[in-house]
C-alpha cells in the first residue's frame, strides 16, 4: 500500500516514518501541482491538507485522507500524534473492502419534461435547440401553465402572451419535441440514462375541430375555472388550437355532437404510451395553499373572498369592478397551523394585483394588510410606486373576515398606529402561500420534508440537482417569479445537456450494501433512507447504486448490522479507533459537511484545542453507530463527540435528527453498562464555529 504525503511547500515534515515493509512511503513537495497517478482499485493513504481539497484532486482514488496541515502543524500538536493518525488511517484502509466503481450508461439521449408552464417550455426550447429529443408532458389540455391564465406580468405590466406565446411557437414547431397534453406519468422504471416511463393520456373528446365555437353555445354545463366561468367544452389561446372537453364536468348530453361540423367523440378512451428517456425534469410549478383550511378568512363561504389568481381573472375579463379591496398577505403563511414558512412572492403578487386594479379602475380604494411587506431585491420601487398611488398599507395580520350588512369586514390590528381596525370592503383577496406538486414528487420517489423537496448533492455523478439524473426546474422547488423561473430552467437545461452528451457516468462515491446472510428484511433501512434508494426485490433488500448518496444512515439504523457503508464499515471504524485511542483521549466523529470544517477553520483563526482530540471525518452524524462510541470508551477514551449540521441544514435531509434519537437510546444503554452519560455529546457545529468546537472540547476535558 502507498502512503502519499505532501510537504505543502515545506510546511509539513515528519522524520522517521516506518509502517512496515508493505507500506511504501512517498513524499511530494506540492500534491496540488504534482501529477500523481493512482491505479484503478489501488488503495492509498493520502496525507497533507484538507480532505475536501484532496478529494477533488484525486476524485477516482480509493483513498483514506489525513489532514496533517490543519490537525497537526497549524495546531502545534506533536509529530507523534501525526504518526498515530497515519497508522490508524493505514489500518482502516487495510481492513476495508475495495470500493467498486459504479458505471451508469447513458442509453437514451432524450429527456422527459413534466409541466408546460414557463419553466417547462423554456427548458424544452433549450433542450430541443441542442438537438435533444424531448417529451413534454402536460396534465392540462393546453400548454402554458399558470402564467397563461394571468392577464399581465408586473412590475412592467407585460401581457403574459409576450412571454408564453413565443416559447410555445418555438417549441411546437421543433421536430425534436413530442407533446402530450391531458397526460400524466403513471409509472417509472429504470435509472439515470435509461428511464422507461408510462404515460396515461386522458380523452380530449374533440377529435377534429375548425374552432367555430358552436359547441360552446349549446353546452348546458358551466364550470368555475379559477375565477372565470366557462363551459364544459372550451378552448384556450395557447396550444393546441383545438377545443377540449372537461369530462369531470361533462354530463355527455350530446348537444355538442349534434352541432359540431367536424368530429366529437364522447366515448373516447384513455390511452397508455410508453417512452424512454435518459433524464427527467420536473417543471410542474407551484400550487396555491388550500385556503379553505384558513377558516377565519371565509374562503369558500363568502363569494367575494378569493385568491390572487381568481381576482386577476375576474378583474381582467370585466366580471368584477371592485370599489374597495383589502389584500391579505401571508394568508396561511408564516403560521404554525398552516405553512410555517414565507413563500417569498406572495407580497409581491398582492402588489401586482393592486397595480392591476389601479390601472383598470383608478378610483378603487385599496388596502394591503401584511405582517411584513417583503418586496425583495429591486422590487422595492414597486412598493414605493403603489404608496404614491394611494394604496394604504396596514402592518398586521387580519384576525378574521366577517360579513356585516351585506359587506365584508376585515378585522386587523395596525401595528403602525396601534389601532384595532374594521375595514369594510366589497372584495377581499387572499395572497396565500404556495406548496409544491407533491403528487409528482411522490411518483418520482423524491422525498419532501416540510413541503418543498430537499435538494441533494450529486457526489461524483456530475452536475445534477437530484440523484438519478432527475432535475427540478423553476418554481417546482421554491416559490419564484417568472424571471427567476427562467434563470433556473436554463441552469437545469445546461446540466441536462451536459449529462446527455456523455456516454456514461462513473462514480467512486461510497454507497451502502447489504449482507443478505444477516438481513431479516425488517424494513428499518427503507424508512431511514432519505433518498428512497432502498427497496424490496424478490423478498430481499436491494440498494440501488444510482440512488444511494452514501450517507450511511441505513447502516447505523440496521438492528442486525446487515446494512453497511463502503469506507465506513464496522470493521474499518473499529480498526481506526483501536489503533488510535489512548486513555484520556477525546474521539471526535465529525460530519464532513459542517462540524469537521470547523476544525479546519480553527487552524486558520488561531483557535487551539487540546492535542488529546482525535478526529475522524464521517459522512453524516446520522451514520455514527453506538458500538463505535462504546468501543472508544472501553479503550479508555475520556469522551466521544459526535458533531453534525444544525437542524434542517443536514446535507442528508434529516440525518442529524436521527443521530439525536440514537443518542438518547445510547445514553440509556450506557446506563445499563455502568458508563456515565456525560462521556458522550452530540452537538450541532457550523463550519465557522471553531470557538464553539474548542469550548466543547474543553468542557469534555473538564467533565
Amino acid at each position: 500500500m502507498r502512503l502519499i504525503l505532501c510537504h505543502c511547500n515545506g510546511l509539513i515534515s515528519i522524520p522517521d516514518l516506518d509502517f512496515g515493509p508493505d507500506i511504501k512511503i512517498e513524499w511530494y513537495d506540492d500534491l496540488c501541482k504534482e501529477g500523481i497517478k493512482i491505479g484503478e482499485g489501488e488503495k492509498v493513504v493520502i496525507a497533507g491538507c484538507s480532505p475536501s481539497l484532496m478529494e477533488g484532486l484525486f476524485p477516482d482514488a480509493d483513498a483514506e485522507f489525513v489532514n496533517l496541515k490543519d490537525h497537526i502543524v497549524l495546531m502545534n500538536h506533536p509529530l507523534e500524534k501525526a504518526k498515530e493518525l497515519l497508522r490508524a488511517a493505514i489500518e482502516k484502509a487495510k481492513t476495508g473492502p475495495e470500493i467498486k466503481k459504479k458505471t451508469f450508461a447513458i442509453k437514451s439521449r432524450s429527456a422527459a419534461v413534466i409541466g408546460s408552464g414557463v419553466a417547462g417550455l423554456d427548458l424544452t426550447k433549450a433542450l430541443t435547440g441542442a438537438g435533444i429529443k424531448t417529451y413534454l408532458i402536460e396534465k392540462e389540455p393546453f400548454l402554458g401553465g399558470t402564467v397563461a391564465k394571468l392577464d399581465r406580468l408586473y412590475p412592467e405590466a407585460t401581457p403574459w402572451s409576450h412571454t408564453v406565446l413565443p416559447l410555445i411557437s418555438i417549441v411546437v414547431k421543433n421536430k425534436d419535441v413530442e407533446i402530450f397534453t391531458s397526460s400524466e406519468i403513471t409509472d417509472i422504471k429504470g435509472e439515470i440514462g435509461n428511464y422507461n416511463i408510462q404515460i396515461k393520456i386522458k380523452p380530449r373528446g374533440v377529435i377534429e375541430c375548425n374552432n367555430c365555437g358552436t359547441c360552446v353555445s349549446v353546452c348546458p354545463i358551466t364550470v368555475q375555472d379559477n375565477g372565470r366561468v366557462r363551459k364544459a367544452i372550451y378552448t384556450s389561446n395557447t396550444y393546441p388550437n383545438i377545443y377540449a372537453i372537461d369530462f369531470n364536468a361533462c354530463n355527455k348530453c350530446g348537444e355538442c355532437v349534434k352541432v359540431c361540423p367536424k368530429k366529437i367523440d364522447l366515448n373516447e378512451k384513455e390511452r397508455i404510451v410508453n417512452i424512454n428517456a435518459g433524464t427527467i425534469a420536473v417543471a410542474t410549478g407551484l400550487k396555491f395553499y388550500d385556503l379553505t383550511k384558513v377558516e377565519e378568512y371565509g374562503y369558500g363561504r363568502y363569494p367575494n373572498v378569493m385568491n390572487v389568481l381568481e381576482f386577476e381573472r375576474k378583474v381582467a375579463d370585466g366580471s368584477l369592478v371592485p370599489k374597495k379591496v383589502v389584500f391579505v398577505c401571508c394568508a396561511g403563511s408564516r403560521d404554525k397551523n398552516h405553512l410555517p414558512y414565507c413563500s417569498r412572492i406572495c407580497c409581491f403578487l398582492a402588489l401586482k394585483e393592486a397595480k392591476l386594479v389601479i390601472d383598470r379602475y383608478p378610483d378603487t380604494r385599496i388596502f394591503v394588510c401584511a405582517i411584513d411587506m417583503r418586496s425583495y431585491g429591486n422590487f422595492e420601487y414597486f412598493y414605493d410606486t403603489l404608496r404614491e398611488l394611494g394604496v394604504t398599507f396596514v402592518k398586521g395580520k387580519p384576525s378574521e373576515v366577517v360579513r356585516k350588512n351585506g359587506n365584508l369586514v376585515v378585522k386587523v390590528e395596525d401595528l403602525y398606529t396601534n389601532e384595532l381596525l374594521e375595514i369594510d370592503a366589497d372584495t377581499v383577496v387572499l395572497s396565500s402561500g404556495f406548496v409544491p406538486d407533491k403528487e409528482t414528487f411522490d411518483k418520482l420517489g423524491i422525498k419532501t420534508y416540510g413541503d418543498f423537496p430537499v435538494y441533494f448533492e450529486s457526489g461524483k455523478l456530475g452536475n445534477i440537482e437530484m440523484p438519478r439524473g432527475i432535475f427540478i426546474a423553476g418554481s417546482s422547488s421554491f416559490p419564484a417569479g417568472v424571471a427567476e423561473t427562467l434563470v433556473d430552467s436554463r441552469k437545469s437545461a445546461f446540466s441536462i445537456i451536459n449529462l446527455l452528451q456523455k456516454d456514461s457516468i462513473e462514480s467512486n462515491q461510497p454507497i451502502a450494501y447489504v449482507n443478505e446472510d444477516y438481513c431479516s428484511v425488517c424494513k428499518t433501512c427503507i424508512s431511514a433512507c432519505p433518498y428512497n434508494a432502498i427497496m424490496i426485490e424478490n423478498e430481499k433488500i436491494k440498494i440501488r447504486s444510482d440512488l444511494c448518496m452514501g450517507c450511511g444512515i441505513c447502516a447505523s439504523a440496521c438492528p442486525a448490522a446487515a446494512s453497511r457503508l463502503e469506507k465506513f464499515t464496522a470493521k474499518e471504524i473499529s480498526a481506526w479507533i483501536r489503533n488510535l485511542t489512548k486513555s484520556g483521549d477525546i474521539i471526535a466523529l465529525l460530519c464532513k459537511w459542517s462540524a469537521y470544517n470547523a476544525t479546519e477553520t480553527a487552524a486558520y483563526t488561531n483557535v487551539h484545542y487540546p492535542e488529546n482530540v482525535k478526529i475522524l471525518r464521517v459522512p453524516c452524524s446520522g451514520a455514527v453507530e453506538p458500538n463505535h462510541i462504546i468501543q472508544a470508551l472501553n479503550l479508555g477514551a475520556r469522551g466521544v463527540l459526535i458533531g453534525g449540521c444544525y437542524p434542517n441544514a443536514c446535507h442528508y435531509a434529516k440525518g442529524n435528527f436521527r443521530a439525536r434519537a440514537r443518542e438518547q437510546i445510547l445514553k440509556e444503554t450506557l446506563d445499563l453498562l455502568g458508563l456515565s452519560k456525560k462521556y458522550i455529546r452530540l452537538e450541532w457545529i457550523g463550519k465557522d464555529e471553531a470557538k464553539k468546537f474548542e469550548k466543547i472540547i474543553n468542557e469534555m476535558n473538564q467533565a
Side-chain angles (χ1 to χ4, degrees), residues 266-277:
L266 298 178
N267 297 309
E268 185 186 4
K269 303 298 183 184
E270 290 181 348
R271 293 185 293 126
I272 298 295
V273 172
N274 293 290
I275 63 172
N276 181 249

mmCIF file of all heavy atoms in Angstrom, residues 266-277:
data_model
loop_
_atom_site.group_PDB
_atom_site.id
_atom_site.type_symbol
_atom_site.label_atom_id
_atom_site.label_comp_id
_atom_site.label_asym_id
_atom_site.label_seq_id
_atom_site.Cartn_x
_atom_site.Cartn_y
_atom_site.Cartn_z
ATOM 1 N N LEU A 266 -67.597 11.466 -27.483
ATOM 2 C CA LEU A 266 -67.798 11.495 -26.032
ATOM 3 C C LEU A 266 -67.387 10.193 -25.363
ATOM 4 O O LEU A 266 -67.329 10.114 -24.134
ATOM 5 C CB LEU A 266 -69.261 11.806 -25.712
ATOM 6 C CG LEU A 266 -69.775 13.168 -26.181
ATOM 7 C CD1 LEU A 266 -71.251 13.323 -25.834
ATOM 8 C CD2 LEU A 266 -68.969 14.294 -25.546
ATOM 9 N N ASN A 267 -67.109 9.186 -26.134
ATOM 10 C CA ASN A 267 -66.729 7.878 -25.582
ATOM 11 C C ASN A 267 -65.264 7.531 -25.866
ATOM 12 O O ASN A 267 -64.873 6.358 -25.780
ATOM 13 C CB ASN A 267 -67.636 6.792 -26.163
ATOM 14 C CG ASN A 267 -69.095 7.007 -25.775
ATOM 15 O OD1 ASN A 267 -69.400 7.189 -24.597
ATOM 16 N ND2 ASN A 267 -69.983 7.017 -26.764
ATOM 17 N N GLU A 268 -64.499 8.543 -26.194
ATOM 18 C CA GLU A 268 -63.072 8.311 -26.427
ATOM 19 C C GLU A 268 -62.427 7.716 -25.173
ATOM 20 O O GLU A 268 -62.728 8.120 -24.050
ATOM 21 C CB GLU A 268 -62.377 9.629 -26.792
ATOM 22 C CG GLU A 268 -60.907 9.467 -27.162
ATOM 23 C CD GLU A 268 -60.218 10.810 -27.385
ATOM 24 O OE1 GLU A 268 -60.871 11.866 -27.184
ATOM 25 O OE2 GLU A 268 -59.028 10.794 -27.732
ATOM 26 N N LYS A 269 -61.536 6.767 -25.351
ATOM 27 C CA LYS A 269 -60.930 6.050 -24.234
ATOM 28 C C LYS A 269 -59.553 6.628 -23.881
ATOM 29 O O LYS A 269 -58.903 7.272 -24.699
ATOM 30 C CB LYS A 269 -60.764 4.560 -24.574
ATOM 31 C CG LYS A 269 -62.059 3.865 -24.969
ATOM 32 C CD LYS A 269 -63.075 3.883 -23.830
ATOM 33 C CE LYS A 269 -64.338 3.120 -24.213
ATOM 34 N NZ LYS A 269 -65.381 3.204 -23.161
ATOM 35 N N GLU A 270 -59.136 6.344 -22.659
ATOM 36 C CA GLU A 270 -57.778 6.679 -22.250
ATOM 37 C C GLU A 270 -56.778 5.839 -23.036
ATOM 38 O O GLU A 270 -57.075 4.720 -23.443
ATOM 39 C CB GLU A 270 -57.576 6.407 -20.752
ATOM 40 C CG GLU A 270 -58.317 7.355 -19.845
ATOM 41 C CD GLU A 270 -58.048 7.053 -18.380
ATOM 42 O OE1 GLU A 270 -57.477 5.968 -18.089
ATOM 43 O OE2 GLU A 270 -58.410 7.880 -17.518
ATOM 44 N N ARG A 271 -55.595 6.385 -23.232
ATOM 45 C CA ARG A 271 -54.536 5.640 -23.911
ATOM 46 C C ARG A 271 -53.305 5.582 -23.016
ATOM 47 O O ARG A 271 -53.069 6.471 -22.193
ATOM 48 C CB ARG A 271 -54.156 6.324 -25.230
ATOM 49 C CG ARG A 271 -55.245 6.309 -26.291
ATOM 50 C CD ARG A 271 -54.717 6.890 -27.597
ATOM 51 N NE ARG A 271 -54.421 8.302 -27.506
ATOM 52 C CZ ARG A 271 -53.253 8.853 -27.830
ATOM 53 N NH1 ARG A 271 -52.242 8.078 -28.241
ATOM 54 N NH2 ARG A 271 -53.062 10.157 -27.745
ATOM 55 N N ILE A 272 -52.539 4.531 -23.172
ATOM 56 C CA ILE A 272 -51.274 4.384 -22.460
ATOM 57 C C ILE A 272 -50.144 4.416 -23.484
ATOM 58 O O ILE A 272 -50.161 3.701 -24.489
ATOM 59 C CB ILE A 272 -51.208 3.067 -21.659
ATOM 60 C CG1 ILE A 272 -52.297 3.043 -20.585
ATOM 61 C CG2 ILE A 272 -49.827 2.886 -21.039
ATOM 62 C CD1 ILE A 272 -52.150 4.094 -19.506
ATOM 63 N N VAL A 273 -49.160 5.279 -23.238
ATOM 64 C CA VAL A 273 -47.999 5.406 -24.111
ATOM 65 C C VAL A 273 -46.749 5.190 -23.273
ATOM 66 O O VAL A 273 -46.661 5.660 -22.134
ATOM 67 C CB VAL A 273 -47.957 6.804 -24.777
ATOM 68 C CG1 VAL A 273 -46.656 7.003 -25.535
ATOM 69 C CG2 VAL A 273 -49.136 6.990 -25.710
ATOM 70 N N ASN A 274 -45.773 4.506 -23.817
ATOM 71 C CA ASN A 274 -44.505 4.282 -23.132
ATOM 72 C C ASN A 274 -43.387 5.004 -23.869
ATOM 73 O O ASN A 274 -43.289 4.922 -25.099
ATOM 74 C CB ASN A 274 -44.192 2.788 -23.048
ATOM 75 C CG ASN A 274 -45.173 2.054 -22.146
ATOM 76 O OD1 ASN A 274 -45.161 2.223 -20.929
ATOM 77 N ND2 ASN A 274 -46.034 1.244 -22.752
ATOM 78 N N ILE A 275 -42.564 5.713 -23.115
ATOM 79 C CA ILE A 275 -41.432 6.421 -23.703
ATOM 80 C C ILE A 275 -40.163 6.038 -22.957
ATOM 81 O O ILE A 275 -40.205 5.525 -21.845
ATOM 82 C CB ILE A 275 -41.611 7.959 -23.666
ATOM 83 C CG1 ILE A 275 -41.692 8.452 -22.219
ATOM 84 C CG2 ILE A 275 -42.840 8.373 -24.450
ATOM 85 C CD1 ILE A 275 -41.676 9.964 -22.084
ATOM 86 N N ASN A 276 -39.024 6.300 -23.589
ATOM 87 C CA ASN A 276 -37.721 6.037 -22.978
ATOM 88 C C ASN A 276 -36.935 7.338 -22.951
ATOM 89 O O ASN A 276 -36.824 8.022 -23.969
ATOM 90 C CB ASN A 276 -36.978 4.966 -23.775
ATOM 91 C CG ASN A 276 -35.630 4.629 -23.168
ATOM 92 O OD1 ASN A 276 -34.597 4.943 -23.731
ATOM 93 N ND2 ASN A 276 -35.627 3.980 -22.022
ATOM 94 N N ALA A 277 -36.399 7.687 -21.775
ATOM 95 C CA ALA A 277 -35.660 8.943 -21.639
ATOM 96 C C ALA A 277 -34.454 8.740 -20.730
ATOM 97 O O ALA A 277 -34.483 7.922 -19.811
ATOM 98 C CB ALA A 277 -36.561 10.041 -21.074
#
